[in-house]
Amino acid sequence: MKNLNRKIATKSLLPTKVLQFGSGNFLRGFANYIIDELNDQGFNGGIAVVKNRPGSSMLDLQQQDGIFTLFTEGIKNGEVVQQSRLITCTNTLINPYDSYEAYLDLATEPELKLIVSNTTEAGIYFDPSDAHLENGPHNSFAAKLTALLYKRYVFFNGDPEKGLFILPCELIENNGKVLREIVLQYAALWHLADEFVDWLLNQSRFYNTLVDRIVSGYPKENEAKYATQLDYTDKLITICEPYLFWAIEGDAALAEHFPFHHFRDQIVLVDDLTPYRLRKVRILNGAHTIMAQIGRLQNLETVGNCMQNEFTHNFTLKAIQEEILPTISFPAHNLEQYTEEVLDRFKNPYLRHYLSDIAQNTIVKFKMRLLPAIVDYIRIKHTYPKHLIFTLAALIHINKKEWDSWLLAADPIESDMDSLTKNSSNRSTYDKVVFSFIAKYEFADRYLNKDNFSQPLSHMLEIIDKHGLENGYAKF
């Protein structure tokens, strides 16, 4: 069979209307799918995909001209869904680390209107080493974006019609606002003109967004099942679930440019994302983070395996129902319904959602997804959440090879942490590991103290280390 590319797909290039930072599984099954569907409704827009980090190759994407097959499989409204779609909306793929000028030239695309990104929770940050506009490619995504926006401003002489709509998909609170503030930091650091800042604030819009879809990526274990359905070779087959939700703190201007109404209640413009974000990040993403620790300690490989494993399934359900739901201000029936939907999605027999993928940047994810739930639970209930803290102990145990380095790094700042752990030479190794972890990753909070956080965390770490996961849980 022939290898998939644009010639095989018989699809012509479309005007570049979307710039996408990131080329991973999620954006392929989410943003690429959405734009491809919108093209059927007359949007007529192509995507320029930009590699956000150095290192891994874009070779497979480049060889296939960014074209791939998306299989959507699962249960929706009680019915089995099995669909496939050839996604052809990608126009070009740019690696700024190989060709920085080609990257900046994207700013001159006359019909470019939308920027989407997914650089993980750790991707939106200010890097002071990106100290000069001219020193591209920059390290941080925000610096790259600032350079591109400035190039667009200069190229089009500040034309107000050339402002962009920027929709970050990273799972951090107020992602659009945070990204805008960092872009403004770079504008100040680089001494960019006040007129550019005015154009940035008034002609380009940064939106807070929330995304929700499980995209498991390439079917490594049963690729033949999908390959035999195709009359071409596709190295980028992507598997996703039918569920899709995108909430955007948007306005009429965004709706005018993008026919999102085609997706009805799957893409919604709202005034306040907060309740939707808490519901999704703590229940769905939080459960993923729980399973990534508990499941890996049981040598489970996928979310589906976790749902089939009695201990992990029950542990995750109790964590959600007893410790996460009480921290979310949302109608109870809505939270219960959403929890049921999430568990059904986890049980999707067609998805192979690997815990090893979910566990990438797992400490940052825990801090973003579950630490706020721990803090809120303690504030509301005046006691500690057993399952969430046990999960954190499991995470620390998984990283046992790092304990020595944590302990060494913590010594100079030990005196600053008395509120969490007593500064005493009589502390156990587990106390010291917990102390050093809290210090290194800044897990301290005014609601967290020795009695409700570090002491039970240390005890749980000790029983996991000495008795194993299930026996340790039973002993606690």
Side-chain angles (χ1 to χ4, degrees):
M1 290 191 294
K2 295 182 179 180
N3 295 325
L4 179 61
N5 54 36
R6 189 164 297 280
K7 183 177 180 181
I8 295 296
T10 65
K11 289 285 186 176
S12 57
L13 293 173
L14 297 172
T16 298
K17 295 184 179 181
V18 182
L19 192 156
Q20 175 181 302
F21 285 90
S23 58
N25 292 331
F26 177 76
L27 285 180
R28 290 209 297 274
F30 189 81
N32 289 186
Y33 165 75
I34 289 171
I35 297 301
D36 214 66
E37 283 274 0
L38 291 181
N39 283 338
D40 288 347
Q41 308 303 314
F43 179 61
N44 195 42
I47 300 177
V49 175
V50 175
K51 191 176 187 306
N52 186 55
R53 291 177 293 182
S56 58
S57 171
M58 295 177 75
L59 183 61
D60 288 341
L61 270 172
Q62 292 167 332
Q63 289 178 337
Q64 293 188 188
D65 298 322
I67 297 173
F68 64 95
T69 311
L70 181 68
F71 286 89
T72 305
E73 298 182 321
I75 310 296
K76 185 175 183 180
N77 300 326
E79 301 291 332
V80 175
V81 175
Q82 290 184 290
Q83 301 171 342
S84 65
R85 181 183 181 94
L86 189 63
I87 306 296
T88 63
C89 56
T90 297
N91 273 356
T92 186
L93 299 116
I94 300 294
N95 184 345
Y97 302 95
D98 291 339
S99 180
Y100 187 62
E101 288 304 316
Y103 164 69
L104 287 181
D105 283 346
L106 294 174
T108 68
E109 290 285 347
E111 296 192 49
L112 180 64
K113 207 63 187 175
L114 178 69
I115 291 180
V116 296
S117 65
N118 184 35
T119 60
T120 80
E121 285 99 323
I124 297 182
Y125 66 96
F126 178 80
D127 186 343
S129 69
D130 289 325
H132 303 284
L133 170 64
E134 300 79 13
N135 289 355
H138 302 95
N139 296 320
S140 74
F141 154 55
K144 294 187 192 75
L145 176 60
T146 307
L148 182 127
L149 290 169
Y150 185 68
K151 174 68 179 284
R152 187 168 182 83
Y153 166 79
V154 171
F155 185 84
F156 290 106
N157 297 311
D159 185 346
E161 297 299 317
K162 298 303 180 182
L164 300 177
F165 298 95
I166 300 157
L167 280 70
C169 297
E170 290 81 358
L171 288 174
I172 65 170
E173 190 170 0
N174 296 318
N175 47 15
K177 181 179 179 180
V178 170
L179 180 58
R180 182 186 64 188
E181 292 306 309
I182 298 175
V183 167
L184 290 173
Q185 277 187 272
Y186 281 116
L189 179 66
W190 298 344
H191 304 291
L192 302 182
D194 291 342
E195 291 79 7
F196 165 68
V197 174
D198 181 73
W199 178 86
L200 187 68
L201 291 173
N202 295 295
Q203 311 307 331
S204 289
R205 294 177 172 86
F206 292 74
Y207 294 96
N208 297 326
T209 80
L210 176 73
V211 298
D212 193 354
R213 188 175 224 192
I214 297 172
V215 183
S216 59
Y218 192 83
K220 292 178 280 190
E221 293 189 359
N222 54 351
E223 57 185 321
K225 167 190 171 183
Y226 299 95
T228 55
Q229 300 180 48
L230 307 176
D231 57 3
Y232 49 79
T233 299
D234 185 352
K235 297 179 181 179
L236 296 169
I237 291 172
T238 302
I239 312 298
C240 70
E241 65 173 341
Y243 186 91
L244 182 150
F245 183 70
W246 197 359
I248 305 167
E249 282 184 354
D251 52 27
L254 181 65
E256 287 175 9
H257 284 85
F258 303 100
F260 289 149
H261 60 272
H262 165 69
F263 284 88
R264 299 180 182 177
D265 59 353
Q266 290 182 301
I267 302 179
V268 296
L269 300 182
V270 300
D271 294 328
D272 183 10
L273 279 181
T274 304
Y276 297 94
R277 180 186 179 277
L278 282 179
R279 185 186 70 171
K280 191 262 180 178
V281 170
R282 294 192 182 180
I283 297 175
L284 186 141
N285 299 113
H288 273 161
T289 300
I290 291 168
M291 289 184 285
Q293 320 315 320
I294 305 302
R296 284 191 296 160
L297 280 179
Q298 295 178 296
N299 295 316
L300 304 178
E301 291 188 342
T302 68
V303 169
N305 295 154
C306 290
M307 290 294 97
Q308 293 167 355
N309 180 278
E310 183 178 3
F311 176 82
T312 305
H313 176 274
N314 291 339
F315 183 98
T316 304
L317 184 59
K318 286 183 178 180
I320 294 172
Q321 291 179 333
E322 298 175 9
E323 299 171 6
I324 292 177
L325 296 190
T327 70
I328 306 173
S329 297
F330 216 71
H333 71 277
N334 182 291
L335 293 177
E336 291 166 3
Q337 178 183 348
Y338 184 74
T339 299
E340 291 177 4
E341 290 175 346
V342 165
L343 292 174
D344 284 343
R345 292 162 67 189
F346 288 165
K347 296 172 186 175
N348 186 338
Y350 302 103
L351 289 181
R352 300 287 295 175
H353 202 179
Y354 289 92
L355 300 182
S356 58
D357 293 336
I358 295 171
Q360 293 182 27
N361 298 311
T362 194
I363 295 174
V364 173
K365 288 177 178 177
F366 191 102
K367 188 174 180 180
M368 299 295 296
R369 299 170 178 183
L370 293 178
L371 184 62
I374 292 174
V375 172
D376 285 348
Y377 185 92
I378 292 171
R379 178 176 53 81
I380 295 167
K381 300 289 188 179
H382 307 292
T383 188
Y384 60 84
K386 173 180 178 179
H387 296 84
L388 296 185
I389 292 184
F390 193 87
T391 300
L392 182 55
L395 183 157
I396 294 173
H397 187 270
I398 287 172
N399 288 277
K400 192 171 184 178
K401 64 181 181 181
E402 304 293 333
W403 288 7
D404 287 342
S405 65
W406 294 349
L407 291 167
L408 287 172
D411 284 343
I413 54 175
E414 188 165 312
S415 60
D416 294 334
M417 297 297 293
D418 287 345
S419 63
L420 283 168
T421 55
K422 294 298 184 183
N423 184 5
S424 168
S425 59
N426 294 324
R427 285 183 304 168
S428 71
T429 297
Y430 303 104
D431 291 335
K432 293 177 181 178
V433 168
V434 165
F435 158 76
S436 59
F437 175 87
I438 291 170
K440 178 176 176 62
Y441 294 104
E442 300 179 342
F443 268 55
D445 183 276
R446 67 189 181 95
Y447 285 103
L448 304 179
N449 58 52
K450 180 178 181 292
D451 293 330
N452 69 25
F453 187 59
S454 64
Q455 184 172 306
L457 178 58
S458 175
H459 179 52
M460 292 181 190
L461 178 61
E462 181 176 2
I463 61 175
I464 291 174
D465 194 44
K466 291 181 176 180
H467 303 287
L469 185 76
E470 291 193 46
N471 289 335
Y473 176 77
K475 288 179 179 293
F476 187 75

